[in-house]
Amino acid sequence: MAKISYIDAISAAMKEEMERDENVFVLGEDVGVKGGVFGTTRGLHEQFGEMRSMDTPLAESAIAGVAIGAAMYGMRPIAEMQYGDFMLPATNQIINEAARIRYRSNNDWECPLVIRAPIGGGIFGGLYHSQCPESIFVGTPGLKIVVPSTPYDAKGLLKAAIRDEDPVLFFEHKKCYRMIVDEVPEEDYIVEIGKSDVKREGEDVTVITYGLTVHFALQAAAELEQEGISTHVLDLRTLQPLDREGILKAAEKTGKVLIIHEDNKTGGVGAEVSAIIAEELVFDLDAPIKRFCGYDVPAMPISPPLEKFYMLNKDKVKQAIKEMALF
Amino acid sequence: MAKISYIDAISAAMKEEMERDENVFVLGEDVGVKGGVFGTTRGLHEQFGEMRSMDTPLAESAIAGVAIGAAMYGMRPIAEMQYGDFMLPATNQIINEAARIRYRSNNDWECPLVIRAPIGGGIFGGLYHSQCPESIFVGTPGLKIVVPSTPYDAKGLLKAAIRDEDPVLFFEHKKCYRMIVDEVPEEDYIVEIGKSDVKREGEDVTVITYGLTVHFALQAAAELEQEGISTHVLDLRTLQPLDREGILKAAEKTGKVLIIHEDNKTGGVGAEVSAIIAEELVFDLDAPIKRFCGYDVPAMPISPPLEKFYMLNKDKVKQAIKEMALF
Amino acid sequence: MSETIVQENNKHRNLGITDEQVIKMYRTMVLARKFDERALLLQRSGKVNFHVSGIGHEAAQIGAAFALEKQKDYFLPYYRDYGMVLSIGMTVRDLMLSIFAKEEDITSGGRQMPGHFSAKQYHIVTGSSPVTTQVPHAVGFALAAKMKKQDFVSIVTFGDGSSNQGDFHEGLNFAAVQKLPVIFMVENNQYAISTPLHKQVACERLVDRGLGYGMHSVQVDGNDPLAVYKVVKEARERGIKGEGPTFIEAKMYRLSPHSTSDNDLAYRTKEEVEENWKKDSIPHFKTYLEECGLWTEEQELRMQEEIKQEVNEATKYAEQAPFPKPEEALTHVFKEQ
Amino acid sequence: MSETIVQENNKHRNLGITDEQVIKMYRTMVLARKFDERALLLQRSGKVNFHVSGIGHEAAQIGAAFALEKQKDYFLPYYRDYGMVLSIGMTVRDLMLSIFAKEEDITSGGRQMPGHFSAKQYHIVTGSSPVTTQVPHAVGFALAAKMKKQDFVSIVTFGDGSSNQGDFHEGLNFAAVQKLPVIFMVENNQYAISTPLHKQVACERLVDRGLGYGMHSVQVDGNDPLAVYKVVKEARERGIKGEGPTFIEAKMYRLSPHSTSDNDLAYRTKEEVEENWKKDSIPHFKTYLEECGLWTEEQELRMQEEIKQEVNEATKYAEQAPFPKPEEALTHVFKEQ
Ligand SMILES: Cc1ncc(C[n+]2csc(CCOP(=O)(O)OP(=O)(O)O)c2C)c(N)n1
Ligand SMILES: Cc1ncc(C[n+]2csc(CCOP(=O)(O)OP(=O)(O)O)c2C)c(N)n1
Ligand SMILES: [Mg+2]
Ligand SMILES: [Mg+2]
């Protein structure tokens, strides 16, 4: 097994799927000749040509809408949104169209489409290059939503998304792109959409999280181990459909639930996770269900002290777990 | 005090505010000569002329975007989206623009804008004339979101929204338009944004809800009174910012919380309400926090048996309250 | 002089349309109209909840549909396109099942409003209510044609008001850049609900928008089915040959109110509407057939009778057909295993 | 022959621009360039995180800004418009405070990326990163002018790629229908990041899009500040007179990479870039001033020295200025009581 980065895992998944199935293609702004502003599609243009790694006009609603049409025909488009912040012009196409095609046609038409978008902050991107837009889409039936935290999951989930018969939003935390490296098998594999993953077993506190903050939780957990606090870390991986069973099992395990995400707290997917637990396990809890999330401000400022203040990190997460443990 | 309908309360609020302040104007599709497809703006064209009750081209992103520009100048636009289902082309303008203008300019610019949209089903509108889009916008800091259930609240909240210095989404349940009639004072008044309202005092079960389902809850509560079950009904009225205090007080009152909304359950505002309670009051509860909401399907079908199956109603709500009472 | 008339009368033959076909075109126009009139009646009598009428649009729809290849080309019609969908495979029974929202409704199993066509078997792509979203979808089908080297085109229709949506702009531009085999046809009926064209746009002709996309564009009389046939046929050829998309503006008038929920006399005069009835394509096309010697009053009566029966039977069938079971509301959110 | 030259040399006077003003235009162009070069350096040396350059755009920006009325008209610039904002009130110090993201930054208090201009005192309207959203906002300001019968115009700029967004279409159409006093100026620099114009649009000239809006439209050499001044001045007059909006396409070339995160030689050649440096407006405009007898090498040296000092001082000031306090991240979500 080779050690590869999160971004390389994503690139490899696309390359391999394009080799496997000639209906798979990528389209988006600057994804062709340049290989994407982050480099996720680098090499595809050379290997597959300009039709299958297509530079599109600067128009997100068309990128999504054209991909939807192609998907209904039977293609397997992967539409890249340059930043999660810039996918909002495509909201109508995503929510009112892609997500409703199977249902509204009573299963006659389907829309096997992947929309990829980098999300998250900590890169001095300011208000419009740091957003976590997932909560806008969570709660849209008909849409699957995936956020991997590791190269292994990224590759396996992206392959699963490409092979899925329904539309999938695939969010990539841009801070993970080069920072997170781990072992990824050379052979073909997928990670099933809709399944959470226990990233660390523990007894005292259950952390439920996804994306970049999985790593903060794991780092904090490792340090807390030294202090005698044992942390159970559940990586949601899929935000929709949520893995109810996995969530309840993890919550039950310790009776103390701390939900962590970078997206702002109010209306985030953490609320849904909390509500699921409160619906099923309320009498099995040893502490209130807490959420430790981004502040409820329009988005993350760029100035270093402000960004630092906004962003979660290992130390802040450690503190939050500790407080929960001591409850 | 005159008895007026919910729709007339909305019309009256606009008319009176336009008389009070010449910067107030309405714009939208068919809001001028025709007076709106539901008739909410009827009479404004005659009284205020075509500039202040402006028929716009069929383009929601422009309706929102132009209104934002006018609001930044100092006007007080009321932008009508013909149906909540059709406001999604304006998502980028609403979330990335209106909601972030004050914050991103460090308080230099502001955007006092009201966006009105009819929501909800039960009118044989099918998938695209019945939606409850509120959960897409809940969780966007910088945006206020209001959903009145009564003529009194509708008038007072709309006036408050028009006078507010920040952008407000004002959702009107179209099933309430002509069905809900009550007393509304002739004098000028406002209902403060951000305050929930106890619509009925009770001891056994707390229902937390908003919009049309407030009425189902009240009807069910009246019947359940006969059966010896006492229901406390809290009308959220404002979905953002949520009235934390009001919610906690209502939850504490009975220790049994049932959250009801027509919007589909997963990712709805009910999740946030539940999470707030689970965060603060988990040990004061006598039952799990339950949510009784729309099904998680892409939207409400039009065929009568399907629509009926989807829609909440007095009887279904009654049953849900009863189950909670018996827990 | 008589020369000219003969030529005029042979217009359809010059276009490569057989006598049989041209009669079929006429019949389909009348069928669409009769369905539409019945639907209005059914709504008025409370049997169905809603109808959105295509009266006044039939000529353009049928002209376009007959110029294309059934079950080969892809069709992305909008809610007034009864004439189009009837031309390419859907039946009046299908339409009736849809307005009655019955289980057997092929467009959506009773989920969607009438006029929201869908039928994969006829290459009719599922549509929604938010206007103009289908425009980029049609471009996506055409993109697939180019990528897979298939010789089909896609056609998408929409209203004049809808040409102001962002998706119109983005879709046409994308298609033009990629030179895709797609036909954009705006059915310019002068109104978007109550809003007249001059409050929607400031250009002389909608087709003037084509220049900004570097797109071949043509305005055509939407009341003349043969004229529309001609431009769509040419557009299809351009598409197949790799010469790119075409933007067609078919001009007509919306003779009915916007929908059964609309009172059009609140914003336009009876005189204006009546004036436009004079241009109704159906009697004009009938006269054309008669002048070609292809149509007699007897044939007309027989056809009217047939159509009446067809509409009656379809109505009866649909009325008696079962509704979907309530729990059906929960199926097909995702692909079921 | 010498006649012609004199006339050419008096171009600015014929436009009503005084000698003093034309020199100021030149100075502002150079100032914008020098700020920009310094910002690139600061980024390269790791002192600031990011810069998006406007090199190659200065002539158009300054030509436009000088044709408008400061603190009266409303300006909705996009991220390359340093020349524009420097012309209407912002200082290099302001710009430096912004790229250093310091508390005193007037555009956002250190919240937004550099190039996201905002300053109510100068009628510079706050902008965001999602391209083209500012277009309908400008229309909103112009709508307010019409409603309140004020004699200002709004101007909005954006890139060529951005003219493919839905908001471009919807904004221009709205303005045209209402005949609003707004000026749309596309700074067509041939690229949208790596994507060349021919992959963005299929029309000959962007300005061809104006016809579809029934809008007065004009293409202009974006390297010629006086030519841009002229068309913007005329557009302003049209706006004030109630004759409606104008769409201006200023053609130029993006001489820098897209931003400091971009390696432009991955998608275009050095030769292409060098070829375009020959059209750089700054030396040409200097020659013009010299030929008019308004500018000497001595003046040039003095100005260069002044500007250097201005940029140095601004840099130093901004570098030393305090950052915002961390908790500042929580303020101004809503109006505070
Ligand atoms: C995005 C969106 N906004 C608003 C509506 C409501 N609506 C339905 S039809 C219509 C008018 C459409 O006019 P036009 O495009 O000219 O088509 P026509 O109905 O005249 O055939 C409107 C505003 C909608 N369906 N979708
Ligand atoms: C809606 C949106 N999509 C994508 C981006 C990312 N992006 C930033 S600048 C840019 C290219 C803009 O090109 P153009 O409009 O020609 O302006 P230029 O940068 O060339 O001046 C892109 C794609 C964005 N800012 N907003
Ligand atoms: Mg129309
Ligand atoms: Mg450009």
Side-chain angles (χ1 to χ4, degrees):
Chain A
M1 282 209 287
K3 282 201 161 221
I4 65 173
S5 65
Y6 184 91
I7 192 166
D8 287 342
I10 290 165
S11 302
M14 287 191 279
K15 177 184 147 80
E16 292 173 22
E17 291 301 296
M18 287 170 79
E19 284 167 348
R20 190 187 55 75
D21 179 352
E22 63 162 28
N23 291 321
V24 178
F25 70 103
V26 302
L27 74 169
E29 294 153 13
D30 306 295
V31 303
V33 178
K34 185 178 164 82
V37 293
F38 292 98
T40 33
T41 56
R42 219 168 268 163
L44 302 181
H45 192 258
E46 289 73 6
Q47 188 175 352
F48 301 102
E50 65 176 2
M51 285 307 285
R52 291 181 68 198
S53 64
M54 180 179 287
D55 283 323
T56 65
L58 176 37
E60 284 75 11
S61 188
I63 294 170
V66 171
I68 289 168
M72 283 198 277
Y73 175 78
M75 305 299 290
R76 297 265 163 181
I78 306 170
E80 177 173 305
M81 301 282 149
Q82 202 161 77
Y83 281 80
D85 318 60
F86 305 146
M87 71 192 290
L88 296 195
T91 316
N92 192 40
Q93 285 290 350
I94 296 169
I95 294 181
N96 262 336
E97 300 299 320
R100 311 208 197 286
I101 280 169
R102 183 184 299 283
Y103 188 81
R104 80 183 184 211
S105 68
N106 205 25
N107 210 31
D108 196 24
W109 289 96
E110 60 189 8
C111 184
L113 162 69
V114 179
I115 296 181
R116 294 177 39 245
I119 63 167
I123 56 142
F124 302 119
L127 267 71
Y128 293 101
H129 293 77
S130 311
Q131 293 179 28
C132 288
E134 53 268 31
S135 77
I136 296 168
F137 299 97
V138 169
T140 299
L143 208 56
K144 299 184 180 178
I145 305 176
V146 166
V147 193
S149 68
T150 66
Y152 179 88
D153 289 348
K155 188 169 177 191
L157 282 166
L158 184 48
K159 287 189 163 215
I162 294 167
R163 297 177 196 179
D164 203 279
E165 308 294 342
D166 287 297
V168 182
L169 299 187
F170 189 89
F171 290 122
E172 305 159 8
H173 200 296
K174 58 182 91 83
K175 185 95 180 165
C176 292
Y177 273 153
R178 297 177 197 284
M179 197 176 78
I180 309 299
V181 175
D182 77 6
E183 298 209 327
V184 172
E186 244 113 275
E187 322 75 72
D188 183 51
Y189 69 97
I190 66 152
V191 171
E192 201 184 328
I193 293 175
K195 296 276 176 247
S196 60
D197 186 43
V198 177
K199 284 279 191 294
R200 181 188 177 103
E201 294 278 353
E203 305 297 329
D204 298 329
V205 173
T206 296
V207 169
I208 302 180
T209 182
Y210 64 93
L212 176 65
T213 43
V214 168
H215 300 287
F216 299 150
L218 291 173
Q219 292 156 9
E223 293 191 11
L224 286 166
E225 189 80 73
Q226 312 302 314
E227 306 181 24
I229 295 170
S230 165
T231 313
H232 191 77
V233 179
L234 185 75
D235 181 356
L236 289 170
R237 297 200 295 200
T238 295
L239 304 190
Q240 194 162 289
L242 276 170
D243 181 5
R244 252 186 117 79
E245 235 176 282
I247 290 168
L248 294 174
K249 212 170 133 198
E252 232 171 357
K253 180 102 192 278
T254 71
K256 289 183 172 180
V257 179
L258 177 66
I259 299 161
I260 301 183
H261 55 63
E262 183 180 321
D263 193 3
N264 64 286
K265 178 174 172 182
T266 298
V269 74
E272 183 61 38
V273 172
S274 171
I276 288 173
I277 298 168
E279 212 154 47
E280 303 285 351
L281 288 181
V282 88
F283 299 123
D284 301 303
L285 296 177
D286 301 315
I289 307 169
K290 289 280 177 198
R291 288 175 291 162
F292 183 57
C293 306
Y295 290 109
D296 283 324
V297 301
M300 186 184 309
I302 196 170
S303 190
L306 303 186
E307 184 184 274
K308 190 164 171 219
F309 179 78
Y310 184 94
M311 279 295 284
L312 307 191
N313 61 31
K314 185 251 300 169
D315 291 327
K316 293 182 192 177
V317 165
K318 190 172 158 189
Q319 185 56 32
I321 298 175
K322 220 160 154 175
E323 275 166 29
M324 183 55 98
L326 297 177
F327 187 88
Chain B
M1 282 210 288
K3 281 200 161 221
I4 65 172
S5 64
Y6 184 91
I7 193 167
D8 287 342
I10 290 165
S11 303
M14 287 191 279
K15 178 184 146 80
E16 291 173 22
E17 290 301 296
M18 286 171 79
E19 283 167 347
R20 189 187 55 76
D21 179 353
E22 63 162 28
N23 291 322
V24 179
F25 71 104
V26 302
L27 76 168
E29 295 153 13
D30 307 295
V31 302
V33 177
K34 185 177 163 83
V37 293
F38 292 98
T40 33
T41 55
R42 219 167 267 162
L44 302 182
H45 192 258
E46 289 74 4
Q47 188 175 351
F48 301 103
E50 64 176 3
M51 286 307 285
R52 291 182 68 199
S53 64
M54 180 179 289
D55 283 323
T56 65
L58 175 37
E60 284 76 10
S61 188
I63 294 170
V66 171
I68 288 168
M72 284 197 278
Y73 176 79
M75 305 299 290
R76 298 266 163 180
I78 306 171
E80 177 174 304
M81 300 282 147
Q82 203 161 76
Y83 281 81
D85 317 60
F86 304 145
M87 71 192 291
L88 296 196
T91 316
N92 192 40
Q93 285 290 348
I94 296 170
I95 293 180
N96 262 336
E97 300 299 320
R100 312 208 195 286
I101 280 169
R102 182 184 300 283
Y103 188 80
R104 80 183 186 211
S105 69
N106 205 22
N107 211 30
D108 196 25
W109 288 95
E110 61 188 7
C111 183
L113 162 69
V114 179
I115 297 181
R116 293 177 39 245
I119 63 167
I123 56 142
F124 302 118
L127 267 72
Y128 294 101
H129 293 78
S130 310
Q131 294 177 31
C132 288
E134 53 268 31
S135 77
I136 297 169
F137 300 98
V138 169
T140 300
L143 209 57
K144 299 185 180 180
I145 306 175
V146 166
V147 193
S149 67
T150 66
Y152 178 88
D153 289 346
K155 188 169 178 190
L157 282 166
L158 184 48
K159 287 189 164 216
I162 294 167
R163 298 178 197 178
D164 203 280
E165 307 295 341
D166 287 297
V168 182
L169 299 187
F170 189 88
F171 290 122
E172 305 160 8
H173 200 297
K174 57 183 93 81
K175 186 94 181 166
C176 293
Y177 274 152
R178 296 177 199 283
M179 197 175 78
I180 309 299
V181 174
D182 78 5
E183 298 208 326
V184 172
E186 245 113 275
E187 324 74 72
D188 183 51
Y189 70 96
I190 65 151
V191 171
E192 201 184 327
I193 294 176
K195 297 273 175 250
S196 61
D197 186 43
V198 177
K199 284 280 190 297
R200 181 187 176 104
E201 294 277 353
E203 306 298 329
D204 299 329
V205 173
T206 297
V207 169
I208 303 181
T209 183
Y210 64 93
L212 175 65
T213 44
V214 168
H215 301 286
F216 298 149
L218 291 174
Q219 291 155 11
E223 292 190 13
L224 286 166
E225 188 81 74
Q226 313 301 315
E227 307 180 24
I229 295 169
S230 165
T231 313
H232 191 78
V233 179
L234 185 76
D235 180 356
L236 289 170
R237 297 200 292 200
T238 294
L239 305 191
Q240 194 163 288
L242 276 169
D243 181 4
R244 250 186 120 77
E245 236 175 284
I247 290 167
L248 294 175
K249 212 169 134 198
E252 228 170 2
K253 179 101 190 277
T254 72
K256 290 184 173 180
V257 179
L258 177 65
I259 299 161
I260 300 182
H261 55 63
E262 184 179 321
D263 193 3
N264 65 286
K265 179 175 170 180
T266 298
V269 73
E272 182 61 36
V273 172
S274 171
I276 288 173
I277 297 168
E279 210 154 48
E280 303 284 349
L281 287 181
V282 87
F283 300 122
D284 302 303
L285 296 177
D286 301 317
I289 307 169
K290 288 278 177 199
R291 289 174 291 162
F292 183 57
C293 306
Y295 290 108
D296 283 324
V297 300
M300 185 183 308
I302 195 170
S303 189
L306 303 186
E307 184 184 274
K308 191 164 169 217
F309 180 79
Y310 185 95
M311 280 295 286
L312 307 192
N313 61 31
K314 184 251 299 167
D315 291 328
K316 294 182 192 177
V317 166
K318 191 173 158 191
Q319 186 56 32
I321 298 174
K322 222 159 152 177
E323 275 165 28
M324 183 55 100
L326 296 177
F327 185 90
Chain C
M1 180 78 196
S2 70
E3 265 280 345
T4 322
I5 289 177
V6 170
Q7 213 191 324
E8 251 301 44
N9 285 353
N10 279 333
K11 204 174 156 195
H12 65 279
R13 291 198 201 139
N14 295 340
L15 292 169
I17 302 173
T18 64
D19 291 348
E20 206 189 322
Q21 263 182 312
V22 81
I23 290 172
K24 198 154 172 214
M25 286 174 80
Y26 174 62
R27 190 188 192 282
T28 314
M29 275 165 71
V30 177
L31 185 64
R33 174 69 55 90
K34 292 296 163 191
F35 159 73
D36 209 313
E37 288 170 356
R38 180 65 57 86
L40 288 168
L41 266 178
L42 287 168
Q43 195 278 337
R44 230 169 290 142
S45 65
K47 296 220 172 184
V48 303
N49 283 305
F50 180 79
H51 175 62
V52 54
S53 163
I55 294 179
H57 289 239
E58 297 93 341
Q61 295 164 359
I62 278 138
F66 274 77
L68 296 166
E69 298 206 13
K70 285 195 222 179
Q71 283 170 331
K72 176 163 191 175
D73 295 329
Y74 282 86
F75 297 83
L76 293 94
Y78 88 123
Y79 47 84
R80 300 198 193 279
D81 279 328
Y82 304 106
M84 179 172 287
V85 298
L86 286 171
S87 301
I88 56 174
M90 281 184 76
T91 63
V92 175
R93 183 189 279 190
D94 291 334
L95 297 180
M96 283 295 175
L97 283 162
S98 162
I99 71 168
F100 279 96
K102 293 301 176 74
E103 182 170 23
E104 240 187 287
D105 157 34
I106 61 167
T107 73
S108 74
R111 292 171 179 206
Q112 291 233 71
M113 277 188 154
H116 289 54
F117 308 110
S118 174
K120 202 171 192 178
Q121 56 180 313
Y122 303 123
H123 285 205
I124 298 172
V125 181
T126 172
S128 64
S129 310
V131 297
T132 334
T133 51
Q134 72 275 24
V135 168
H137 301 174
V139 179
F141 276 86
L143 179 64
K146 181 175 172 187
M147 292 180 83
K148 307 291 285 183
K149 300 193 173 48
Q150 299 294 306
D151 63 341
F152 67 81
V153 305
S154 61
I155 182 167
V156 59
T157 55
F158 47 90
D160 42 300
S162 303
S163 76
N164 298 315
Q165 284 282 338
D167 274 356
F168 166 89
H169 179 65
E170 298 191 8
L172 268 72
N173 185 60
F174 194 113
V177 168
Q178 286 290 338
K179 279 194 158 240
L180 300 179
V182 46
I183 303 169
F184 304 99
M185 185 168 94
V186 56
E187 299 185 20
N188 179 356
N189 65 7
Q190 318 297 323
Y191 283 91
I193 308 186
S194 72
T195 313
L197 193 59
H198 69 87
K199 282 193 187 174
Q200 288 284 350
V201 306
C203 53
E204 290 288 314
R205 313 175 313 153
L206 289 177
V207 90
D208 290 341
R209 297 193 163 173
L211 186 68
Y213 308 112
M215 193 181 298
H216 185 74
S217 302
V218 44
Q219 196 184 52
V220 64
D221 177 1
N223 286 320
D224 181 347
L226 298 180
V228 175
Y229 178 96
K230 180 167 184 291
V231 298
V232 173
K233 194 93 187 165
E234 287 165 2
R236 185 175 195 282
E237 272 155 31
R238 298 188 68 257
I240 297 294
K241 281 199 222 141
E243 293 170 9
T246 304
F247 178 35
I248 297 170
E249 176 184 5
K251 283 192 78 171
M252 73 268 293
Y253 187 86
R254 193 195 74 209
L255 292 167
S256 303
H258 170 72
S259 75
T260 50
S261 315
D262 181 42
N263 168 21
D264 61 327
L265 297 184
Y267 54 82
R268 61 182 187 181
T269 64
K270 229 176 130 192
E271 292 67 43
E272 179 187 309
V273 179
E274 273 163 11
E275 199 51 39
N276 278 285
W277 268 105
K278 294 186 192 150
K279 298 185 212 152
D280 180 13
S281 60
I282 291 185
H284 284 106
F285 202 42
K286 180 170 169 240
T287 306
Y288 171 81
L289 293 184
E290 287 165 355
E291 283 176 9
C292 289
L294 293 174
W295 202 243
T296 63
E297 208 43 45
E298 198 196 309
Q299 283 171 296
E300 175 74 15
L301 288 173
R302 196 170 342 118
M303 180 194 76
Q304 290 284 357
E305 193 46 47
E306 272 169 34
I307 286 179
K308 194 173 179 182
Q309 215 154 344
E310 195 173 335
V311 173
N312 284 345
E313 275 168 21
T315 308
K316 201 168 147 200
Y317 183 91
E319 201 173 351
Q320 292 173 353
F323 277 118
K325 280 164 283 305
E327 310 72 36
E328 271 298 308
L330 301 182
T331 58
H332 309 312
V333 176
F334 294 111
K335 186 179 180 97
E336 283 147 28
Q337 309 310 329
Chain D
M1 178 81 198
S2 71
E3 264 280 347
T4 321
I5 290 176
V6 171
Q7 214 189 322
E8 251 303 44
N9 286 352
N10 279 334
K11 206 174 152 197
H12 66 277
R13 290 198 200 137
N14 293 340
L15 291 169
I17 301 173
T18 63
D19 292 348
E20 204 189 324
Q21 262 181 311
V22 81
I23 291 172
K24 197 153 173 216
M25 286 173 80
Y26 174 63
R27 189 187 193 284
T28 313
M29 275 165 69
V30 178
L31 185 65
R33 174 70 54 92
K34 292 296 164 192
F35 159 73
D36 210 313
E37 289 170 353
R38 179 65 58 89
L40 287 169
L41 266 178
L42 287 169
Q43 194 278 335
R44 231 169 290 144
S45 65
K47 295 220 172 184
V48 303
N49 283 303
F50 180 80
H51 176 62
V52 54
S53 162
I55 294 180
H57 288 239
E58 298 93 341
Q61 295 165 0
I62 277 138
F66 274 77
L68 296 166
E69 297 205 13
K70 285 195 223 180
Q71 283 170 330
K72 177 163 189 176
D73 295 329
Y74 283 85
F75 297 83
L76 294 94
Y78 88 122
Y79 47 84
R80 301 199 192 280
D81 279 328
Y82 304 107
M84 180 172 286
V85 298
L86 285 171
S87 301
I88 57 176
M90 280 184 76
T91 63
V92 176
R93 181 189 280 191
D94 291 335
L95 296 180
M96 283 294 177
L97 283 162
S98 163
I99 70 167
F100 279 96
K102 294 302 177 74
E103 181 169 26
E104 240 188 286
D105 157 35
I106 60 168
T107 73
S108 74
R111 293 171 177 206
Q112 291 232 73
M113 276 188 153
H116 290 54
F117 308 109
S118 174
K120 202 171 192 176
Q121 57 181 313
Y122 303 123
H123 284 207
I124 298 172
V125 180
T126 172
S128 64
S129 311
V131 297
T132 334
T133 50
Q134 73 275 23
V135 168
H137 301 174
V139 178
F141 277 85
L143 178 65
K146 181 175 170 186
M147 292 180 83
K148 307 293 284 184
K149 302 192 172 51
Q150 299 294 306
D151 63 343
F152 67 81
V153 304
S154 62
I155 182 167
V156 58
T157 57
F158 47 90
D160 42 303
S162 303
S163 77
N164 297 315
Q165 284 283 338
D167 273 357
F168 166 88
H169 180 65
E170 298 191 8
L172 268 72
N173 185 60
F174 194 114
V177 168
Q178 286 289 338
K179 279 194 160 238
L180 301 178
V182 47
I183 302 169
F184 304 99
M185 185 169 96
V186 55
E187 300 185 20
N188 178 357
N189 65 8
Q190 318 297 325
Y191 282 91
I193 308 187
S194 72
T195 313
L197 194 59
H198 69 88
K199 282 194 188 175
Q200 287 284 348
V201 306
C203 53
E204 291 288 314
R205 313 176 312 153
L206 289 177
V207 88
D208 289 341
R209 298 194 161 171
L211 186 67
Y213 308 112
M215 191 181 299
H216 185 75
S217 301
V218 44
Q219 196 184 50
V220 65
D221 177 1
N223 287 320
D224 181 347
L226 298 181
V228 175
Y229 178 96
K230 180 167 183 289
V231 298
V232 173
K233 194 94 188 166
E234 285 165 3
R236 185 176 196 281
E237 271 156 31
R238 299 187 67 257
I240 297 293
K241 280 198 220 141
E243 293 170 10
T246 303
F247 178 33
I248 296 170
E249 176 185 4
K251 283 191 78 171
M252 71 270 291
Y253 187 85
R254 195 195 74 209
L255 293 167
S256 304
H258 170 72
S259 74
T260 50
S261 314
D262 181 40
N263 168 22
D264 60 329
L265 296 184
Y267 54 82
R268 61 181 186 181
T269 63
K270 229 176 132 195
E271 292 67 44
E272 180 187 308
V273 178
E274 272 164 12
E275 200 50 40
N276 277 285
W277 269 105
K278 295 187 192 149
K279 299 185 211 151
D280 180 13
S281 60
I282 291 186
H284 285 107
F285 202 43
K286 178 170 170 241
T287 306
Y288 171 81
L289 293 185
E290 286 166 355
E291 284 176 9
C292 288
L294 292 173
W295 202 243
T296 63
E297 208 42 45
E298 196 196 309
Q299 282 170 297
E300 176 72 18
L301 287 174
R302 197 171 340 118
M303 180 194 77
Q304 290 285 358
E305 193 44 49
E306 272 169 33
I307 286 180
K308 194 173 178 182
Q309 214 153 349
E310 196 173 334
V311 173
N312 283 345
E313 274 168 22
T315 308
K316 198 167 150 198
Y317 184 91
E319 200 172 352
Q320 293 174 351
F323 278 117
K325 279 164 284 305
E327 310 72 36
E328 271 298 309
L330 302 181
T331 58
H332 309 312
V333 176
F334 294 112
K335 187 179 178 100
E336 281 146 29
Q337 310 308 332

